[in-house]
């Protein structure tokens, strides 16, 4: 039970980002698939170089935010659809994250590890040595990893849950306070009608920047925390983040049934929690009634479409 | 006789205490990883455990998602699962992070030390033990040297997004100079990228090498025919990949990785502690030499007779003969 809530809340941060881009500023953004990974990669690399988890997460969040700025730049400067621009940035981030980690997968080690060696150094001999002549010549040796301190204990005793709850609560407060400011109001106005805000004498491109940066800041934040929570960053861990978050956002909207942007930031949080429960439920019982693991993605897609369809019939309003 | 009595006592005690629950998690539906699972079941049954009766297996699959891998690990941590087996690196990392109060067995992890699972191979003072699917890269390069004495450039086909492949490629790079060879990267993050890289970089290399790369494995038929067009022989570190278009393969099949993993599980079921057992790489006895004479003929490759004698699997005139 506790782990489900923990994971749901970690996911909810990314869902909040997706909510901001898809709903508030109406600039669909697929970058989170990449910035989620970038956040994790930067955080774990900085942990390895001896920085504390708060600083590492902070820099990771900035890096992910920068990715959002790049999307905004491409969208506003070259007038490319944000969806397309974000696909480019997301693709590029895959390579960048490998660069950052200098490997596709980097663990957050709990203890100091020894030397990494080749098969021949470990085993000493192979069955072909007599034919091939000479002795194995693998001189590969890489130094292991140093233990790193993380904020999560993974004991499931509520310690991690308190930390995560505090982080999510703070994020909700910060975002809702921001949306209440004059600038926040204009940002929401930009999402409703892009051209109307021009009348106010503010460059509308600014809102695109703020919206997309915020979206990716939360995706990177979520990725960084998830990496520390799960014990590793992997370049493939971001796949499907946007779809899952979108499912969470829509689930949240069903629960609240309204579109009130003032309280909207709560939608994705509740949605992400619900999504995590549904996923765990499906994993636990789905296999027993004949689902194959490979069916889960189809189920997610069908679920999102079905939910949107139901909303359409009920309210006859276009939501997405 | 003593053993038999011990086994009978064990089986009786297991029955009287009720079934043991084993949680097995793997990162994705993949023939090699599924073979690991089958191998585990085989090892259990060979040791007299009835799966579904003495041992209840809760099999989970993360569908390629790291979040799901963590969800499964947490599920095992909170549920009444007595032993956990995690197949492939991300699943193993998630389980090792989440579970510290009962044994975790990792399997098919190329570099368990680099992945932060254990301090070192051999005995560790922790709840984690397992089997690495590291392959003898340096020996495979020496094999290449033996068959292709003039080969200078070895093109390594791999996915830079797969931790296992990157480890193997790095080992190849550090071992190649002593054999007067250089390693050329032929990277691709998807099958189509791999074919493109192969077509553009392939002509400059003398021979191709493929490690235990999942992306290459999933598109080996296409890679094989592209290599054939380029007239470049493939040497593979995985017998299943070799079957898909290689001239020579020297490695093990993943079923064997599963059997060795299953043997660790059996030892734990019989009462051993994880800290008593040794984490190890797949033993040299499991290494198999595969030679495809049909493709060798097409590419005018001469296979040394002593190698051919030693081969465990030989393909000739479209027929596969195992020794």
């Amino acid at each position: 039970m506790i782990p489900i809530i923990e994971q749901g809340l970690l996911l909810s941060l990314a869902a909040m980002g997706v909510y901001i881009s898809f709903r508030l500023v109406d600039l669909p953004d697929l970058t989170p698939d990449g910035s989620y990974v970038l956040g994790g990669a930067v955080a774990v690399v900085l942990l390895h170089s001896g920085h504390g988890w708060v600083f590492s997460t902070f820099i990771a969040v900035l890096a992910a935010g920068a990715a959002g700025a790049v999307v905004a730049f491409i969208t506003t400067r070259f007038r490319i659809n944000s969806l397309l621009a974000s696909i480019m940035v997301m693709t590029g981030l895959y390579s960048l994250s490998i660069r950052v980690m200098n490997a596709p997968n980097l663990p957050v080690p709990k203890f100091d590890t020894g030397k990494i060696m080749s098969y021949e150094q470990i085993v000493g001999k192979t069955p072909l040595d007599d034919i091939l002549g000479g002795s194995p010549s693998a001189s590969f040796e890489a130094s292991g990893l140093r233990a790193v301190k993380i904020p999560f204990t993974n004991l499931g005793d509520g310690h991690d849950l308190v930390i995560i709850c505090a982080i999510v609560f703070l994020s909700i407060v910060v975002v809702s306070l921001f949306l209440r400011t004059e600038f926040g109001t204009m940002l929401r106005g930009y999402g409703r009608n892009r051209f109307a805000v021009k009348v106010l004498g503010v460059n509308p491109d600014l809102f695109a920047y703020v919206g997309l940066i915020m979206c990716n800041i939360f995706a990177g934040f979520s990725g960084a925390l998830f990496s520390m929570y799960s014990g590793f960053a992997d370049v493939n861990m971001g796949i499907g983040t946007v779809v899952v978050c979108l499912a969470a956002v829509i689930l949240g909207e069903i629960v609240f049934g309204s579109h009130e942007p003032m309280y909207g930031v709560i939608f994705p949080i509740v949605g992400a929690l619900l999504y995590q429960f549904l996923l765990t439920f499906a994993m636990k019982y789905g296999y027993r009634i004949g689902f194959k693991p490979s069916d889960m993605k189809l189920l997610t897609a069908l679920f999102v479409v079905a939910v949107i369809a139901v909303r359409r019939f009920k309210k006859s309003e276009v939501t997405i | 006789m003593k053993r038999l009595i011990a086994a009978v006592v064990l089986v009786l005690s297991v029955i009287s205490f009720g079934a043991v629950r084993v949680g097995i998690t793997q990162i994705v539906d993949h023939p090699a990883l599924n073979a690991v699972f089958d191998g585990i079941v085989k090892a259990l049954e060979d040791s007299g455990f009835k799966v579904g009766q003495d041992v209840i297996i809760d099999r989970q699959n993360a569908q390629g998602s790291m979040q799901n891998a963590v969800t499964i690990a947490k599920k095992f941590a909170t549920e009444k699962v007595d032993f956990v087996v995690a197949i492939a690196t991300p699943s193993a990392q998630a389980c090792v992070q989440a579970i510290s109060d009962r044994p975790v067995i990792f399997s098919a992890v190329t570099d368990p030390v680099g992945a932060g699972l254990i301090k070192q191979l051999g005995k560790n003072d922790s709840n984690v033990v397992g089997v690495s699917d590291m392959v003898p890269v340096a020996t495979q390069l020496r094999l290449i040297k033996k068959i292709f004495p003039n080969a200078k450039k070895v093109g390594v086909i791999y996915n830079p997004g797969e931790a296992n492949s990157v480890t193997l490629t790095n080992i190849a790079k550090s071992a190649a100079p002593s054999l007067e060879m250089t390693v050329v990267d032929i990277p691709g993050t998807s099958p189509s990228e791999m074919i493109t890289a192969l077509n553009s970089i392939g002509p400059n290399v003398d021979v191709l090498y493929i490690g235990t790369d999942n992306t290459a494995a999933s598109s080996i038929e296409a890679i094989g025919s592209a290599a054939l067009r380029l007239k470049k022989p493939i040497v593979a570190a995985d017998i299943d990949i070799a079957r898909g278009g290689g001239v020579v393969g020297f490695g093990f099949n993943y079923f064997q990785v599963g059997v060795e993993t299953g043997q660790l599980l059996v030892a734990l079921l019989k009462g051993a502690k994880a800290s008593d057992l040794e984490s190890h790489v797949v033993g040299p006895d499991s290494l198999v030499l595969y030679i495809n004479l049909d493709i060798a003929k097409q590419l005018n490759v001469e296979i040394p007779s002593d190698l051919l004698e030693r081969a465990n699997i030989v393909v000739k005139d479209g027929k596969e003969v195992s020794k």
Side-chain angles (χ1 to χ4, degrees), chain A residues 255-320:
Chain A
V255 174
F256 289 98
S258 85
H259 227 116
E260 175 55 48
M262 227 52 237
Y263 306 101
V265 281
I266 315 241
F267 298 173
I269 310 290
V270 175
L273 280 170
L274 267 176
Y275 178 84
Q276 198 62 39
F277 272 105
L278 282 176
L279 179 81
T280 313
F281 186 78
M283 273 188 174
K284 198 166 177 182
Y285 300 106
Y287 297 145
R288 295 190 192 163
I289 56 170
F291 285 147
K292 286 177 74 177
S294 49
D295 296 335
M296 294 292 285
K297 285 209 157 74
L298 178 66
L299 284 180
T300 309
L302 286 177
F303 175 72
V304 173
V305 172
V307 161
I308 295 172
V310 168
R311 279 180 61 93
R312 277 290 288 280
F313 279 119
K314 241 166 89 180
K315 281 193 174 175
S316 74
E317 67 168 301
V318 181
T319 54
I320 201 161

Side-chain angles (χ1 to χ4, degrees), chain A residues 5 12 22 24 52 72 97 106-107 126-127 153 157 162 196 214 222-224 229 254 265 273 287 297 319:
Chain A
I5 301 174
S12 75
F22 272 78
L24 277 188
S97 297
L106 196 64
T126 59
T153 59
D157 56 356
V162 171
M214 278 176 77
S222 177
Y229 178 78
I254 300 172
V265 281
L273 280 170
Y287 297 145
K297 285 209 157 74
T319 54

Side-chain angles (χ1 to χ4, degrees), chain B residues 35-107:
Chain B
V36 172
F37 179 83
D38 297 339
I40 293 171
V41 173
K42 177 82 167 44
L44 282 175
E45 283 173 347
D46 283 354
S47 307
F49 290 98
K50 284 209 176 67
V51 173
Q53 201 174 325
D54 314 327
V55 180
I56 292 171
I57 293 180
D58 183 358
R59 188 185 188 184
Q60 297 286 337
N61 188 309
Q63 311 127 37
S65 150
M66 315 292 150
Q67 284 82 356
N68 290 356
V70 173
T71 306
I72 294 166
K74 297 278 177 184
K75 173 180 132 70
F76 287 160
T78 48
E79 278 179 11
K80 286 196 184 88
V81 176
D82 303 301
F83 303 95
V84 174
V85 182
I87 303 170
T89 306
S91 285
Q93 285 171 322
C95 285
V96 167
Q97 178 77 7
I99 300 163
S100 52
D101 58 347
R102 64 207 100 158
V104 175
I105 306 176
F106 64 82
S107 186

Side-chain angles (χ1 to χ4, degrees), chain B residues 1-318:
Chain B
M1 194 61 199
K2 259 185 186 169
R3 267 194 172 170
L4 187 73
I5 295 169
V8 169
V9 169
L10 175 91
V11 170
L12 284 177
S13 63
V14 166
I15 291 169
S16 58
F17 281 107
V20 179
R21 292 182 64 89
V22 177
I24 301 186
T25 165
Q26 75 186 56
I27 189 67
V28 69
D29 227 7
H30 182 283
L33 301 185
N34 293 344
V36 172
F37 179 83
D38 297 339
I40 293 171
V41 173
K42 177 82 167 44
L44 282 175
E45 283 173 347
D46 283 354
S47 307
F49 290 98
K50 284 209 176 67
V51 173
Q53 201 174 325
D54 314 327
V55 180
I56 292 171
I57 293 180
D58 183 358
R59 188 185 188 184
Q60 297 286 337
N61 188 309
Q63 311 127 37
S65 150
M66 315 292 150
Q67 284 82 356
N68 290 356
V70 173
T71 306
I72 294 166
K74 297 278 177 184
K75 173 180 132 70
F76 287 160
T78 48
E79 278 179 11
K80 286 196 184 88
V81 176
D82 303 301
F83 303 95
V84 174
V85 182
I87 303 170
T89 306
S91 285
Q93 285 171 322
C95 285
V96 167
Q97 178 77 7
I99 300 163
S100 52
D101 58 347
R102 64 207 100 158
V104 175
I105 306 176
F106 64 82
S107 186
V109 175
T110 299
D111 181 6
V113 177
L117 303 178
I118 47 172
K119 270 183 193 161
Q120 79 235 349
L121 284 159
K123 283 189 185 179
N124 279 290
D125 191 22
S126 74
N127 63 321
V128 184
V129 67
V131 181
S132 155
D133 63 349
M134 173 86 85
V135 290
V137 183
T139 305
Q140 285 154 349
L141 289 181
R142 289 196 296 150
L143 189 63
I144 291 175
K145 194 78 188 168
K146 167 105 178 165
I147 304 171
F148 311 95
N150 300 321
K152 288 268 175 284
K153 286 184 177 170
V154 181
V156 180
I157 303 176
Y158 73 104
N159 181 349
E162 284 185 33
N164 49 323
S165 306
V166 173
T167 304
L168 296 183
T169 309
N170 286 337
I171 295 176
K173 279 177 183 164
S174 69
S178 65
L179 295 162
E180 292 169 339
M181 294 194 287
T182 48
V183 167
V184 179
D185 288 316
I186 305 184
T189 56
S190 67
S192 61
E193 257 182 66
M194 247 174 208
I195 303 285
T196 311
L198 177 57
N199 283 325
S200 57
I201 307 166
N204 303 325
V205 303
D206 304 308
V207 54
L208 298 166
Y209 171 81
I210 305 178
T212 51
D213 188 276
N214 291 319
T215 313
S218 66
S219 53
I220 185 59
E221 303 293 337
I223 291 173
S225 52
L228 217 52
R229 271 198 304 278
L230 293 167
K231 299 257 172 230
K232 304 293 177 193
I234 293 176
V235 176
D238 178 305
I239 299 305
D240 291 318
I241 293 180
R243 281 203 174 98
V247 178
V248 176
F250 181 57
F252 41 75
N253 58 41
Y254 273 82
F255 187 78
Q256 193 58 36
V257 180
V259 170
E260 293 197 15
T261 309
Q263 284 161 355
L264 285 178
L265 179 58
V266 166
L268 290 171
L269 288 170
K270 289 186 177 171
K273 279 189 189 157
S275 52
D276 300 335
L277 302 172
E278 289 193 5
S279 294
H280 58 87
V281 296
V282 178
D285 297 340
S286 305
L287 290 165
V288 170
L289 181 62
Y290 167 100
I291 293 174
N292 188 323
L293 288 174
D294 294 349
I295 296 183
K297 205 173 171 186
Q298 279 187 55
L299 297 173
N300 291 323
V301 175
E302 189 84 26
I303 305 287
S305 57
D306 47 354
L307 269 182
L308 196 56
E309 258 169 50
R310 185 66 67 85
N312 308 80
I313 304 168
V314 176
V315 177
K316 199 179 178 186
D317 304 324

Side-chain angles (χ1 to χ4, degrees), chain A:
Chain A
M1 184 73 174
I2 289 178
I4 304 175
I5 301 174
E6 287 171 351
Q7 257 193 287
L9 286 176
L10 285 176
L11 175 72
S12 75
L13 290 170
M16 190 135 83
V18 168
Y19 175 80
I20 291 168
S21 66
F22 272 78
R23 287 284 190 261
L24 277 188
V25 296
D26 195 24
L27 283 170
D29 181 16
L30 301 184
T31 327
D33 272 25
S35 50
Y36 185 83
V37 179
L38 184 68
V42 171
V44 175
V45 163
L46 286 173
L47 280 175
H48 274 283
S49 59
H51 297 284
W53 72 273
V54 176
F55 177 79
S56 303
T57 310
F58 181 68
I59 300 296
V61 163
L62 290 187
V70 174
V71 179
F73 177 80
I74 298 173
T75 308
T76 55
R77 185 57 66 91
F78 306 132
R79 297 288 156 208
I80 295 178
N81 182 308
S82 71
L83 217 49
L84 274 179
S86 65
I87 289 173
M88 309 303 160
V89 174
M90 174 192 85
T91 309
L93 285 179
Y94 186 89
S95 303
L96 193 67
S97 297
I98 296 183
R99 275 274 174 193
V100 168
M101 293 190 282
N102 201 18
N105 175 300
L106 196 64
V108 181
K110 290 185 189 167
F111 43 75
D112 296 349
T113 63
K115 292 256 189 290
I116 298 165
M117 296 187 289
S118 73
Y119 186 96
E120 288 81 356
Q121 285 165 312
I122 300 161
V123 177
K125 61 177 173 50
T126 59
L128 293 185
D129 282 348
D130 54 329
I131 296 180
L132 299 174
S135 59
S137 54
S139 60
F140 180 82
E141 206 166 271
S143 56
L145 302 157
R146 268 195 22 241
V148 163
K149 259 193 121 76
I150 51 167
F152 305 116
T153 59
N154 267 291
L155 294 174
D157 56 356
H159 170 272
D160 298 354
L161 186 63
V162 171
I163 295 180
I164 296 170
C165 275
I167 290 171
V168 172
F169 181 72
L170 264 177
S171 304
I172 296 175
V173 169
V174 168
V175 173
S176 3
L177 285 181
F178 169 73
L179 290 178
R180 269 163 216 271
T181 61
E182 196 182 339
F183 188 85
T185 314
M186 285 198 278
L187 188 74
R188 284 184 280 133
Y190 173 84
R192 286 279 162 90
N193 187 338
R194 204 143 296 193
F195 306 99
V197 286
K198 256 189 186 166
V199 183
L200 301 170
V202 187
N203 181 2
D205 289 353
L206 181 65
F207 299 113
Y209 272 93
V210 172
L212 289 170
I213 289 173
M214 278 176 77
C215 166
N216 287 287
I217 274 181
F218 280 110
F221 196 20
S222 177
L225 291 174
F226 177 78
S227 282
M228 292 192 270
Y229 178 78
S230 63
F232 66 101
D234 190 292
V235 73
N236 297 312
M237 75 181 189
I239 299 169
T241 305
V242 175
V243 173
V244 168
C245 288
L246 208 52
V249 169
I250 294 168
L251 262 178
E253 287 174 354
I254 300 172
V255 174
F256 289 98
S258 85
H259 227 116
E260 175 55 48
M262 227 52 237
Y263 306 101
V265 281
I266 315 241
F267 298 173
I269 310 290
V270 175
L273 280 170
L274 267 176
Y275 178 84
Q276 198 62 39
F277 272 105
L278 282 176
L279 179 81
T280 313
F281 186 78
M283 273 188 174
K284 198 166 177 182
Y285 300 106
Y287 297 145
R288 295 190 192 163
I289 56 170
F291 285 147
K292 286 177 74 177
S294 49
D295 296 335
M296 294 292 285
K297 285 209 157 74
L298 178 66
L299 284 180
T300 309
L302 286 177
F303 175 72
V304 173
V305 172
V307 161
I308 295 172
V310 168
R311 279 180 61 93
R312 277 290 288 280
F313 279 119
K314 241 166 89 180
K315 281 193 174 175
S316 74
E317 67 168 301
V318 181
T319 54
I320 201 161

